[in-house]
């Protein structure tokens, strides 16, 4: 096996060298009739067949090198065109012919070395086809691939149509490779030419690799640009979110400062009130303990009120965010419901159009049925007339036959009675014969008429059969009409169900609109009503009585105004507060009316 590998490698070197020398002398363009090119393909075939495993089948042993060449299609997708064109050639009937055609096409594409290099790189797949000591499995295979790179300089114009590749004999002609004396002188020139060709091949390979790397880098640049644009968009969105969060933070800080100022002012007012009360209590000295206890209670209540205000502020912020989310969800629901309404209306229009088409079809079918019924009745009348005429003709035939029989009987009687009067009787017989001939003619004419009537009868029967088939078709049309009516009923049911769904959707939409209006009113109430300061109000807004130590100030949680205890003693649960809170009398009546209207 080692000697065979070495011999094949030397033969491959010689064949490539001779092929390149002949190509340089001919201008690097070769045809199929070129002898060194044919010998190169023979040597290449021997190299590919070396160490092939024999595959046994029912027909016999199969040893073909087209099997490993088919692997190139899987490993290199560029070779799929060669494989498909080889399989589509109708002249090739054997695997050997397909393998030779594959080699021709690979050489013409100048990719024979690339394809064989892909094969040799995947030796685990070649082990299915070759022995371990085969040429393609050893280092000699890589050497042959390196030699084949020099053939990329050649331009091969090979025509596969009309050539018998299946029955070619692969015998190496050693006469081409015997050196002459003149070849020794041209060795140096050949070496120079081979150096130039090797440099050219190296440059071409470098250009090919550089073009591949340029394409990969371009795809990477495009991907990086896309990711950069996406990151910029995300950055802009993040900056917008940061700005909105900063604005909300500033608003919250301002609200906290306002609450602090209010609490400080309320503490100062309480301190002043306590000082005045202490002066008055020092003067009166009555009920000092009670007044002190009242002052301490007021202080505690104000602290509690402050804490409650802070909690209410936090609840208002949470409710505000929840209300915004609910508003967005309701807007999405309304948009989706409007889209479904549009789709349902389109379906209703389509159902109405289908109903109109079905109605027109039913009318056309009924009119055609009436026409066909009239035709059937007319054809039945014609058949009855023909039958009556046939009966009359049969009666005439029977009368003529009876008359003929009577005439024959009379002639016999006359022959028996009047034997001597033959001459007279012969005249009568001749007359009778004439009458018989005339009667036979009439019989023939009647028979012809009968045959014509039979033909007409047959024609009428054919027409009646056609009418029956048409009747069957009409029955089928009636069945189709019933089916269409059933479909119409089903579509009507679907239409009714869709109308009910539309009504329900309208109810849901109206309810959602009412909820939206309530939410908008709550938002207006949250945004529109201002919380009055304690310094701004000196009198109750409803009864207009002046505030004092006994008549304390109380805020309405709905409108934000300040009232006395008698005018704001009611409590109600508001949407911005989880528990019932203090409300003035006017807001109490207003909210009760709104709740009763929404409940009804």
């Amino acid at each position: 096996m080692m000697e065979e590998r070495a011999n094949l490698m030397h033969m491959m070197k010689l064949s490539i060298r001779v092929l390149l020398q002949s190509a340089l002398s001919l201008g690097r363009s070769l045809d199929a009739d070129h002898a060194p090119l044919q010998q190169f393909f023979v040597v290449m075939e021997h190299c590919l067949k070396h160490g092939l495993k024999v595959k046994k089948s029912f027909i016999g042993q199969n040893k073909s090198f087209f099997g490993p060449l088919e692997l190139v299609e899987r490993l290199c997708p560029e070779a799929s065109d060669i494989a498909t064109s080889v399989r589509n050639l109708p002249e090739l009937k054997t695997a050997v012919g397909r393998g030779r055609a594959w080699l021709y096409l690979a050489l013409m594409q100048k990719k024979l070395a690339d394809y064989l290099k892909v094969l040799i790189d995947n030796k685990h797949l070649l082990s299915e086809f070759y022995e371990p000591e085969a040429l393609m499995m050893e280092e000699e295979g890589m050497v042959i691939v390196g030699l084949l790179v020099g053939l990329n300089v050649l331009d091969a114009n090979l025509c596969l149509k009309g050539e018998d590749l299946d029955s070619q004999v692969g015998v190496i002609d050693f006469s081409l490779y015997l050196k002459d004396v003149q070849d020794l002188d041209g060795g140096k020139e050949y070496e120079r030419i081979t150096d130039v060709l090797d440099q050219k091949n190296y440059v071409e390979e470098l250009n090919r690799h550089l073009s591949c790397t340029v394409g990969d880098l371009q795809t990477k640049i495009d991907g990086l640009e896309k990711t950069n644009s996406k990151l910029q968009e995300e950055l802009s969105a993040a900056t917008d979110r940061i700005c909105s969060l900063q604005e909300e933070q500033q608003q919250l800080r301002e609200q906290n400062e306002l609450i602090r100022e209010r609490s400080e002012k309320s503490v100062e007012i309480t301190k002043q009130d306590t000082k005045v009360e202490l002066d008055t209590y020092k003067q009166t000295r009555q009920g000092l303990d009670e007044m002190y206890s009242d002052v301490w209670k007021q202080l505690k209540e104000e602290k509690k009120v402050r804490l409650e205000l802070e909690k209410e502020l936090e609840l208002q912020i949470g409710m505000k965010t929840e209300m915004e989310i609910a508003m967005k969800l309701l807007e999405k629901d309304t948009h989706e419901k409007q889209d479904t309404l549009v789709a349902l209306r389109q379906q209703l229009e389509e159902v109405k159009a289908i109903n109109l088409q079905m109605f027109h079809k039913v009318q056309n079918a009924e009119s055609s049925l009436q026409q066909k019924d009239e035709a059937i009745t007319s054809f039945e009348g014609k058949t009855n007339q023909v039958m009556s005429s046939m009966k009359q003709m049969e009666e005439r035939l029977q009368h003529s036959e009876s008359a003929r029989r009577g005439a024959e009987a009379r002639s016999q009687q006359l022959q028996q009675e009047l034997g001597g009067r033959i001459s007279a009787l012969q005249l009568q017989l001749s007359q009778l014969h004439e009458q018989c001939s005339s009667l036979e003619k009439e019989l023939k004419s009647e028979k012809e008429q009968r045959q014509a009537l039979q033909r007409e009868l047959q024609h009428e029967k054919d027409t009646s059969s056609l009418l029956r088939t048409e009747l069957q078709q009409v029955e089928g049309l009636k069945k189709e009409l019933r089916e269409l009516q059933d479909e119409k009923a089903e579509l009507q049911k679907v239409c009714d169900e869709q109308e009910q769904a539309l009504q329900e959707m309208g109810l849901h939409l109206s309810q959602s609109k009412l909820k939206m209006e309530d939410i908008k009113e709550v938002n207006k109430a949250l945004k529109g009503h201002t919380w009055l300061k304690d310094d701004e109000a000196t009198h109750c807004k409803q009864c207009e009585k002046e505030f004092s130590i006994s008549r304390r100030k109380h805020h309405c949680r709905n409108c934000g105004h300040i009232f006395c205890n008698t005018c704001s003693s009611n409590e109600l649960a508001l949407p911005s507060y989880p528990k019932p809170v203090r409300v003035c009398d006017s807001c109490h009546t207003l909210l009760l009316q709104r709740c009763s209207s929404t409940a009804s």
Side-chain angles (χ1 to χ4, degrees):
M1 292 289 279
M2 286 176 67
E3 289 176 359
E4 287 176 359
R5 287 201 304 270
N7 291 330
L8 285 170
M9 191 175 70
H10 290 310
M11 286 304 301
M12 181 59 74
K13 285 180 181 178
L14 283 170
S15 64
I16 290 169
R17 186 180 296 171
V18 171
L19 184 60
L20 287 169
Q21 285 178 357
S22 61
L24 287 169
S25 62
L26 293 171
R28 295 186 185 178
S29 61
L30 303 174
D31 296 329
D33 297 331
H34 193 56
L37 184 61
Q38 292 176 356
Q39 287 300 311
F40 164 73
F41 283 122
V42 171
V43 176
M44 192 72 218
E45 187 177 340
H46 280 284
C47 292
L48 290 170
K49 282 182 178 178
H50 183 262
L52 261 176
K53 290 181 181 179
V54 179
K55 291 187 178 181
K56 294 181 180 180
S57 61
F58 293 105
I59 302 164
Q61 293 181 353
N62 185 12
K63 189 176 181 181
S64 172
F65 63 92
F66 185 60
L69 294 177
E70 284 182 326
L71 291 172
V72 181
E73 187 179 359
R74 275 196 290 166
L75 299 170
C76 188
E78 296 174 1
S80 59
D81 298 333
I82 296 174
T84 52
S85 58
V86 166
R87 291 192 194 98
N88 292 329
L89 284 170
E91 300 161 358
L92 303 174
K93 297 179 182 178
T94 61
V96 177
R98 292 191 189 96
R100 288 168 181 167
W102 192 92
L103 290 173
Y104 281 23
L105 291 170
L107 185 66
M108 281 195 284
Q109 283 188 357
K110 297 182 181 181
K111 290 186 179 180
L112 183 59
D114 297 334
Y115 294 155
L116 290 177
K117 187 178 182 300
V118 170
L119 269 178
I120 290 166
D121 289 339
N122 295 281
K123 288 182 180 178
H124 62 282
L125 296 173
L126 282 176
S127 61
E128 297 178 4
F129 298 95
Y130 288 101
E131 298 291 339
E133 296 178 355
L135 188 139
M136 295 294 287
M137 300 292 288
E138 295 292 335
E139 293 179 357
E140 285 84 353
M142 289 301 294
V143 175
I144 288 169
V145 169
L147 292 169
L148 290 172
V149 173
L151 297 178
N152 293 337
V153 184
L154 304 178
D155 295 327
N157 298 320
L158 306 174
C159 183
L160 297 176
K161 291 182 179 179
E163 288 196 9
D164 190 8
L165 297 174
D166 294 327
S167 61
Q168 283 182 2
V169 180
V171 179
I172 299 170
D173 187 9
F174 292 99
S175 63
L176 290 170
Y177 309 117
L178 296 173
K179 288 185 177 181
D180 296 330
V181 179
Q182 294 176 357
D183 294 335
L184 294 170
D185 297 330
K188 294 180 179 179
E189 293 180 0
Y190 175 72
E191 287 178 358
R192 292 174 186 173
I193 290 163
T194 52
D195 292 335
V196 170
L197 290 172
D198 292 335
Q199 289 176 2
K200 184 183 178 183
N201 292 327
Y202 178 69
V203 170
E204 286 179 353
E205 289 293 327
L206 277 175
N207 285 328
R208 194 182 298 169
H209 288 300
L210 286 170
S211 62
C212 293
T213 51
V214 165
D216 294 334
L217 289 169
Q218 191 66 35
T219 53
K220 286 179 182 178
I221 287 163
D222 294 334
L224 288 168
E225 285 177 354
K226 288 178 182 177
T227 51
N228 193 7
S229 62
K230 287 180 182 177
L231 288 169
Q232 284 178 355
E233 290 174 359
E234 290 176 358
L235 219 170
S236 62
T239 51
D240 294 335
R241 287 176 186 171
I242 288 163
C243 293
S244 62
L245 288 169
Q246 286 176 353
E247 289 175 358
E248 288 179 358
Q249 192 176 6
Q250 286 178 358
Q251 290 176 0
L252 289 169
R253 283 176 182 173
E254 290 173 358
Q255 289 176 359
N256 284 323
E257 287 176 357
L258 288 170
I259 290 161
R260 283 178 185 175
E261 289 176 358
R262 287 174 186 173
S263 61
E264 287 174 358
K265 286 180 181 179
S266 62
V267 169
E268 288 175 358
I269 290 162
T270 51
K271 283 180 180 178
Q272 290 175 2
D273 291 336
T274 51
K275 284 179 183 179
V276 171
E277 286 173 359
L278 282 168
D279 293 333
T280 55
Y281 285 137
K282 282 178 183 178
Q283 290 174 3
T284 56
R285 289 184 181 180
Q286 292 178 358
L288 284 169
D289 297 330
E290 293 178 0
M291 293 302 292
Y292 278 122
S293 64
D294 291 333
V295 169
W296 283 108
K297 283 178 184 178
Q298 285 179 0
L299 278 168
K300 287 177 182 178
E301 284 178 358
E302 285 173 357
K303 285 179 181 178
K304 286 179 182 178
V305 167
R306 185 182 173 185
L307 292 168
E308 285 177 357
L309 283 169
E310 289 177 354
K311 288 179 182 178
E312 285 173 2
L313 231 179
E314 291 175 355
L315 286 168
Q316 281 181 0
I317 292 161
M319 288 294 291
K320 187 180 178 183
T321 54
E322 288 176 359
M323 293 290 285
E324 287 176 354
I325 293 162
M327 287 282 285
K328 288 178 181 177
L329 290 169
L330 282 168
E331 286 177 356
K332 285 182 182 177
D333 290 333
T334 51
H335 287 306
E336 289 175 357
K337 286 172 182 176
Q338 285 175 359
D339 294 333
T340 50
L341 277 168
V342 171
L344 287 167
R345 284 172 184 167
Q346 290 178 355
Q347 289 178 0
L348 271 171
E349 290 175 356
E350 289 175 357
V351 167
K352 286 177 182 177
I354 290 162
N355 286 330
L356 285 169
Q357 290 177 1
M358 297 301 292
F359 182 69
H360 290 309
K361 285 181 181 178
V362 167
Q363 286 181 350
N364 294 324
E366 286 177 355
S367 62
S368 63
L369 272 170
Q370 288 177 0
Q371 291 175 2
K372 286 174 182 176
D373 289 331
E374 290 173 0
I376 287 161
T377 52
S378 64
F379 279 123
E380 284 177 354
K382 287 180 181 179
T383 50
N384 292 323
Q385 289 176 4
V386 169
M387 291 294 288
S388 62
S389 62
M390 283 287 290
K391 286 177 182 178
Q392 289 175 4
M393 293 298 291
E394 285 176 356
E395 287 174 358
R396 286 180 186 175
L397 277 168
Q398 287 175 1
H399 285 302
S400 61
E401 284 177 358
S402 61
R404 185 180 175 185
R405 287 171 187 171
E408 286 177 356
R410 285 173 189 172
S411 64
Q412 287 175 2
Q413 287 175 5
L414 286 169
Q415 281 176 2
Q416 290 173 1
E417 290 176 357
L418 302 169
R421 298 176 185 177
I422 292 166
S423 59
L425 288 170
Q426 282 177 352
L427 292 169
Q428 290 178 358
L429 276 169
S430 62
Q431 290 176 359
L432 287 168
H433 280 300
E434 287 175 357
Q435 288 177 0
C436 283
S437 62
S438 63
L439 287 168
E440 284 176 355
K441 287 177 181 177
E442 288 177 358
L443 271 169
K444 285 180 182 178
S445 63
E446 286 176 356
K447 282 180 181 178
E448 288 175 355
Q449 288 177 359
R450 187 177 180 182
Q451 288 175 357
L453 288 168
Q454 283 178 353
R455 288 173 187 168
E456 288 179 357
L457 244 176
Q458 189 66 34
H459 183 67
E460 293 296 330
K461 284 179 181 177
D462 294 334
T463 52
S464 64
S465 64
L466 287 169
L467 287 168
R468 283 172 187 167
T469 54
E470 286 179 355
L471 269 170
Q472 290 175 359
Q473 289 176 359
V474 167
E475 288 176 356
L477 286 168
K478 284 181 179 177
K479 287 179 182 177
E480 288 179 359
L481 212 160
R482 288 169 189 167
E483 290 175 357
L484 289 169
Q485 286 176 353
D486 296 333
E487 287 180 0
K488 184 183 175 183
E490 289 176 358
L491 288 169
Q492 192 67 34
K493 286 180 183 177
V494 171
C495 189
D496 295 335
E497 289 175 358
Q498 288 176 354
E499 285 179 354
Q500 288 178 0
L502 279 169
Q503 290 176 359
E504 290 175 359
M505 290 287 287
L507 289 170
H508 285 302
L509 276 170
S510 62
Q511 290 175 2
S512 63
K513 282 180 181 178
L514 289 170
K515 287 179 182 178
M516 285 283 288
E517 288 175 358
D518 293 336
I519 289 161
K520 284 177 181 176
E521 287 177 0
V522 169
N523 278 329
K524 285 179 183 177
L526 286 169
K527 292 176 182 177
H529 298 306
T530 55
W531 191 268
L532 284 176
K533 296 179 182 179
D534 292 333
D535 297 337
E536 292 176 358
T538 56
H539 294 79
C540 177
K541 191 177 181 182
Q542 190 169 353
C543 62
E544 294 183 353
K545 290 180 180 179
E546 190 176 358
F547 292 114
S548 63
I549 297 166
S550 58
R551 188 177 288 104
R552 293 182 60 238
K553 300 174 183 179
H554 296 285
H555 279 87
C556 176
R557 297 295 188 271
N558 189 31
C559 61
H561 294 293
I562 297 170
F563 299 89
C564 62
N565 190 21
T566 55
C567 298
S568 62
S569 60
N570 298 309
E571 288 186 352
L572 268 178
L574 296 174
S576 58
Y577 296 96
K579 294 179 181 180
V581 290
R582 188 183 289 274
V583 179
C584 64
D585 294 339
S586 59
C587 292
H588 185 261
T589 54
L590 234 168
L591 291 167
L592 284 174
Q593 286 176 2
R594 191 181 293 170
C595 289
S596 63
S597 64
T598 53
S600 61

